């Protein structure tokens, strides 16, 4: 079978429409909103702040704590029961690992940086939107970062290698592989890599090389969000 | 610390001034947006100053309660997401979130906002369950009023998904709206010493003497009450606070109808 035309009419290397905004949650030390297609993610950063319970504190370095969560009305189907699931637990953990390499936690002994990611609407790619938002929120919080992580899914539908699958593609009744990836755009290093599906090694490498094409676009949207936030500050002063 | 701030707030209120420059009975700017969540059957975003809540309605088909076999039902839940405030922690809803959800639920239920009988599909077997979930985006005081307005707006925005008697097709919304006839709006009035204020900020909520939330219908009747805070209210307090709630509800109603 050949997948000649994408369900939503995009080119195979084309992202869904993406927007980002920094500083959307006044209470937070840093925050962001990212929309990728119909997937919408909020992220807020609190900290570095004192870590409790106290026995978790490490006088050598701070910790990063991420929580990924879907709002009860954010699923395309039935209501999502609040309270977390095995899935959200795992995504929280891999999100943490995706962001960790850019931080220098030795600067924050006995402290925690809390990153809360909330999805208000999902249509595939929610962990990627969450990571993109979290990266902006960390920068917005003024936390020193080596790089601005970004994430997007690549994959395969039937015979085609493509980028940023929407839900209808993930659920396509044929051969599908979904590969969420997070990278550090400066070095190209990979900080998150997962896959559902089956591919050859050649297809995998081909899919991963697609990231190089779209990463600059995502990076620019993240940077623009931060820049316009900075302009807002200047205007206020 | 809070005690000192409380004294300052009271002193300023005696002269009719609040910390953020508002008058005692002045709301912050309210905005209501409907249809903001793609995946929900109905949704609304309400902002009151820097407070922001998102409410989504998810429809479900279930079995009617044995004591009301010809009625559907609603369920209200509030999530105080740690995203929204340094004071909120991850985990199951705490006392505040449960109280808020129950006050919003009561306002909607007791005004008979929805015709529960029309939510029945097959008596004793199948009925619509209306799941109303409220999520905080930024908590900066007066979450109860914001949530009550958001819940009502989201219900008004809801369109039923297609149901073929067996399964719901969430990808297909019908033109059918919920059977809504009433418009209850909660207004929370705060007591500080001998002064009353509306739309409390975070610090005003923390230091208040008492609060009274009244859900007010479009007829000006009261359909739910909740007294909160550690201090008692006199009859005269209740009298004055209800007057204020009724007056403010009429103002908010105008805003909601414009949305």
């Amino acid at each position: 079978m050949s997948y000649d035309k994408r369900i939503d009419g995009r080119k195979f290397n084309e992202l869904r429409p993406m927007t980002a905004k920094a500083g959307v949650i006044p209470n937070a030390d840093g925050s962001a909103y990212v929309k990728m297609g119909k997937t919408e993610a909020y992220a807020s950063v609190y900290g570095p702040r004192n870590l409790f319970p106290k026995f978790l504190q490490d006088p050598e370095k701070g910790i990063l704590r991420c929580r990924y969560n879907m709002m009860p009305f954010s699923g395309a189907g039935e209501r999502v029961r609040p309270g977390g699931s095995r899935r959200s637990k795992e995504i929280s953990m891999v999100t943490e690992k995706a962001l960790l390499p850019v931080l220098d936690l030795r600067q924050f002994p006995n402290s925690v940086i809390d990153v809360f990611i909330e999805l208000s609407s999902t249509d595939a790619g929610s962990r990627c939107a969450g990571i993109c938002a979290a990266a902006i929120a960390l920068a917005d919080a003024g936390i020193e970062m080596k790089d601005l992580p970004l994430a997007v899914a690549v994959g395969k539908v039937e015979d085609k290698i493509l980028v940023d699958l929407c839900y209808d593609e993930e659920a396509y009744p044929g051969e599908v592989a979904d590969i969420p990836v997070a990278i550090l755009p400066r070095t190209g290093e990979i900080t998150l890599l997962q896959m559902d599906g089956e591919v050859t090694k050649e297809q995998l490498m081909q899919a991963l090389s697609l990231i190089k094409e779209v990463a600059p676009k995502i990076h620019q949207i993240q940077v623009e969000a931060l820049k316009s936030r900075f302009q807002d500050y200047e205007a206020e002063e | 610390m809070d005690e000192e701030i409380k004294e300052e707030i009271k002193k300023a209120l005696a002269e009719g001034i609040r910390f953020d420059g508002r008058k005692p009975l002045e709301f912050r700017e309210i905005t209501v947006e409907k249809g903001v969540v793609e995946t929900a059957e109905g949704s609304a975003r309400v902002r009151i100053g820097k407070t922001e809540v998102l409410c989504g309605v998810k429809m479900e088909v279930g079995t009617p309660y044995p004591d009301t076999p010809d009625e559907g039902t609603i369920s209200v839940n509030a999530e105080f997401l740690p995203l929204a405030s340094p004071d909120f922690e991850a985990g199951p809803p705490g006392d505040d979130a449960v109280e808020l959800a129950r006050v919003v639920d009561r306002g909607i239920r007791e005004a008979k906002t929805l015709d529960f009988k029309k939510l029945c599909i097959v008596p004793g077997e199948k009925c619509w369950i209306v799941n109303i979930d409220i999520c905080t985006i930024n908590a900066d005081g007066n979450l109860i009023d914001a949530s009550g307005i958001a819940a009502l707006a989201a219900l008004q925005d809801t369109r039923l998904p297609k149901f073929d008697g067996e399964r719901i097709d969430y990808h297909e919304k019908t033109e059918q709206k919920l059977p809504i006839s009433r418009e209850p709006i909660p207004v929370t009035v705060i007591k500080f010493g001998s002064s009353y204020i509306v739309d409390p900020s975070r610090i005003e909520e923390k230091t208040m003497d008492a609060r009274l939330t009244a859900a007010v219908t479009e007829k000006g009747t009261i359909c739910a009450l909740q007294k909160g805070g550690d201090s008692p209210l006199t009859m005269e307090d209740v009298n004055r606070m209800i007057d204020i709630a009724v007056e403010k509800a009429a103002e908010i109603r105008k805003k909601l109808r414009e949305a």
Side-chain angles (χ1 to χ4, degrees):
Chain A
M1 283 274 287
S2 179
Y3 186 60
D4 293 325
K5 209 165 175 254
R6 292 184 79 167
I7 290 169
D8 53 13
R10 280 182 291 153
K11 293 187 207 112
F12 292 104
N13 62 356
E14 188 180 344
L15 297 168
R16 292 177 288 180
M18 179 176 172
T19 57
K21 199 168 186 300
V24 293
I25 297 166
N27 277 346
D29 296 311
S31 61
Y33 163 84
V34 163
K35 183 168 186 183
M36 293 169 103
K38 291 178 188 169
T39 297
E40 295 178 76
Y42 290 86
S44 66
V45 170
Y46 289 92
R49 58 182 176 184
N50 278 339
L51 174 58
F52 295 105
K54 213 169 172 186
F55 71 83
L56 293 175
Q57 292 187 358
D58 182 345
E60 299 283 318
K61 62 179 174 52
I63 66 163
L64 173 70
R65 193 162 58 184
C66 293
R67 178 186 187 258
Y68 164 102
N69 184 52
M70 282 174 71
M71 292 185 190
F73 43 78
S74 66
E78 283 173 17
R79 171 175 188 257
V80 180
R81 280 183 195 284
S85 57
R86 288 161 61 92
R87 174 180 175 275
S88 65
K89 211 167 200 163
E90 185 206 358
I91 296 178
S92 299
M93 192 196 78
V94 295
T95 297
E96 225 165 79
K97 308 294 180 213
L99 299 170
L100 203 54
V102 302
L103 302 174
D104 178 13
L105 292 173
R106 284 168 312 176
Q107 288 180 33
F108 314 116
N110 298 323
S111 303
V112 59
I113 297 172
D114 271 311
V115 178
F116 298 112
I117 296 167
E118 292 287 341
L119 277 296
S120 59
S121 172
T122 61
D123 181 49
S126 68
R127 76 196 67 191
C128 295
I131 290 168
C132 289
I136 300 171
L138 283 165
D140 182 43
I143 291 165
E144 222 171 89
M145 297 163 81
K146 276 200 293 194
D147 205 344
L148 195 61
L150 65 87
V152 66
V154 289
K156 182 186 83 156
V157 177
E158 300 290 9
D159 56 330
K160 295 295 190 306
I161 301 295
L162 39 75
V163 69
D164 196 12
L165 287 76
C166 62
Y167 179 78
D168 286 338
E169 287 178 330
E170 258 187 36
Y172 193 79
E175 264 189 56
V176 176
D178 175 35
I179 315 171
V181 185
I183 65 158
L184 312 181
R186 219 161 43 80
T187 60
E189 288 167 299
I190 292 169
T191 61
L192 172 132
L193 183 59
Q194 298 181 287
M195 184 176 82
D196 285 340
E198 186 178 350
V199 293
T200 64
K201 188 195 149 198
E202 285 69 30
Q203 286 170 329
L204 174 65
M205 298 319 283
Q206 204 188 331
L208 289 178
S209 67
L210 252 188
I211 304 241
K212 282 199 198 99
E213 277 183 47
V214 294
K217 288 180 187 139
I218 298 173
H219 181 68
Q220 203 197 340
I221 290 166
Q222 289 175 299
V223 169
E224 287 301 324
L226 285 161
K227 269 190 183 167
S228 58
R229 163 79 157 149
F230 184 60
Q231 279 160 359
D232 289 347
Y233 268 129
E234 283 186 335
E236 272 173 31
E237 284 166 15
Chain B
M1 179 64 184
D2 281 358
E3 279 304 311
E4 284 169 36
I5 294 172
K6 182 170 182 163
E7 284 315 306
E8 291 302 316
I9 292 177
K10 275 188 178 172
K11 245 191 264 171
L13 272 178
E15 293 170 40
I17 305 167
R18 288 165 79 175
F19 277 16
D20 54 13
R22 281 184 288 158
K23 297 191 193 76
L25 301 185
E26 186 181 344
F27 261 78
R28 293 166 291 179
E29 165 97 16
I30 303 177
T31 60
V32 181
E33 287 171 79
K34 289 183 187 173
V36 291
V37 177
E38 194 107 23
T39 46
E41 278 77 69
S43 62
R45 182 194 308 278
V46 170
R47 289 191 178 91
I48 303 182
K50 284 183 179 165
T51 286
E52 179 177 343
V53 299
L54 208 49
C55 178
V57 171
K58 270 294 197 188
M59 298 299 296
E60 179 186 327
V61 172
T63 317
Y65 290 116
D67 53 340
T68 51
D70 58 344
E71 291 185 3
T73 185
I74 63 169
S75 159
V76 181
N77 170 60
E79 298 282 318
F80 283 14
L81 302 176
L83 173 95
S85 166
D87 302 333
F88 294 166
E89 281 174 23
D95 294 351
D96 293 349
V98 170
E99 184 195 26
L100 180 145
R102 286 184 55 84
V103 172
V104 170
D105 180 295
R106 223 152 48 229
I108 293 167
R109 199 180 290 272
E110 298 307 321
K112 304 192 171 48
T113 309
L114 288 154
D115 187 342
F116 282 5
K117 290 217 158 49
K118 286 188 182 155
L119 292 174
C120 180
I121 303 168
V122 181
E125 284 178 29
K126 283 188 178 114
C127 68
W128 287 107
I129 299 169
V130 185
N131 291 298
I132 303 165
D133 281 287
I134 297 153
C135 290
T136 57
I137 302 291
N138 193 68
D140 194 31
N142 203 12
L143 282 174
I144 299 182
D145 295 3
S147 300
I149 300 165
L152 181 58
L155 287 172
Q156 291 171 341
D157 179 57
T158 299
R159 281 185 298 146
L160 298 184
K162 201 175 162 192
F163 179 66
D164 63 7
E166 288 296 322
R167 296 183 61 178
I168 297 177
D169 182 0
Y170 284 102
H171 294 280
E172 216 175 306
K173 279 187 198 175
T174 63
E175 286 303 311
Q176 203 186 338
K177 295 254 188 182
L178 287 173
I180 299 179
S181 50
R182 309 298 301 278
E183 218 178 32
I185 290 175
V187 177
T188 302
V189 184
I190 301 280
K191 186 190 173 193
F192 261 112
S194 56
S195 309
Y196 307 105
I197 60 167
V198 295
D199 186 24
S201 66
R202 230 178 353 152
I203 189 67
E204 286 168 342
E205 268 173 357
K206 263 190 192 165
T207 53
M208 66 171 184
D209 289 329
R211 68 168 148 79
L212 182 64
T213 302
V216 183
T217 69
E218 67 287 352
K219 291 183 194 161
T221 53
I222 318 295
C223 60
L225 285 171
Q226 183 82 346
K227 187 231 167 242
D230 296 343
S231 301
L233 295 174
T234 63
M235 285 279 275
E236 180 53 20
D237 285 330
V238 175
N239 190 2
R240 296 274 304 278
M241 289 163 102
I242 298 274
D243 279 345
I244 293 167
V246 171
E247 185 191 318
K248 289 292 148 186
E251 287 176 25
I252 295 167
R253 195 176 312 283
K254 268 190 211 157
K255 280 268 177 199
L256 181 63
R257 287 186 178 170
E258 287 163 13

